[in-house]
Amino acid sequence: MATSNLKPKKRNRKLEKSTATEETTYAPAQNLNKVASGKMKDINIKASPDEHREFKMYAAARDMSMHDLFFAMWDFYRENHP
C-alpha cells in the first residue's frame, strides 16, 4: 500500500483576518488633551526594591506620604537650583 507524503495546507490566519467583511474603526488618541485642573497625573520612575523600601521608610518616619516627600524634595531642588 502506498502512502502519500502530502501534508495538509496550513491556514493563512493573517489573510483570513484581513479579508473580514466588518470594517474596524479606530478612535483618535485621547492622550493628547490637557488634564483638567484639579486632576492628578501619574509620574512613574523605576527604583530597586531596596531604594523603594528606603524611600518609603524615610517618608513614614516623618509621617509623610511618598507623594508629599517627593514634592517636598522637588520644591527644595527648584529653590536651590535656579
Side-chain angles (χ1 to χ4, degrees):
M1 195 173 222
T3 59
S4 174
N5 289 335
L6 297 176
K7 293 182 181 178
K9 281 188 174 182
K10 288 186 179 180
R11 291 174 43 188
N12 189 343
R13 293 176 192 244
K14 288 182 183 177
L15 182 60
E16 289 174 5
K17 287 181 183 177
S18 65
T19 58
T21 57
E22 264 185 61
E23 288 189 30
T24 305
T25 57
Y26 296 98
Q30 299 297 320
N31 62 347
L32 303 177
N33 302 328
K34 288 186 176 182
V35 176
S37 62
K39 289 192 177 181
M40 302 297 272
K41 185 83 174 140
D42 288 339
I43 296 176
N44 296 311
I45 62 168
K46 297 286 185 187
S48 71
D50 290 337
E51 289 171 326
H52 180 270
R53 186 179 309 106
E54 184 179 356
F55 189 82
K56 190 170 188 171
M57 286 174 38
Y58 189 91
R62 285 149 185 81
D63 198 28
M64 300 173 77
S65 67
M66 294 171 65
H67 173 272
D68 293 340
L69 176 58
F70 176 82
F71 283 103
M73 292 179 347
W74 175 240
D75 291 339
F76 178 82
Y77 182 85
R78 285 186 301 178
E79 290 171 6
N80 293 289
H81 297 87

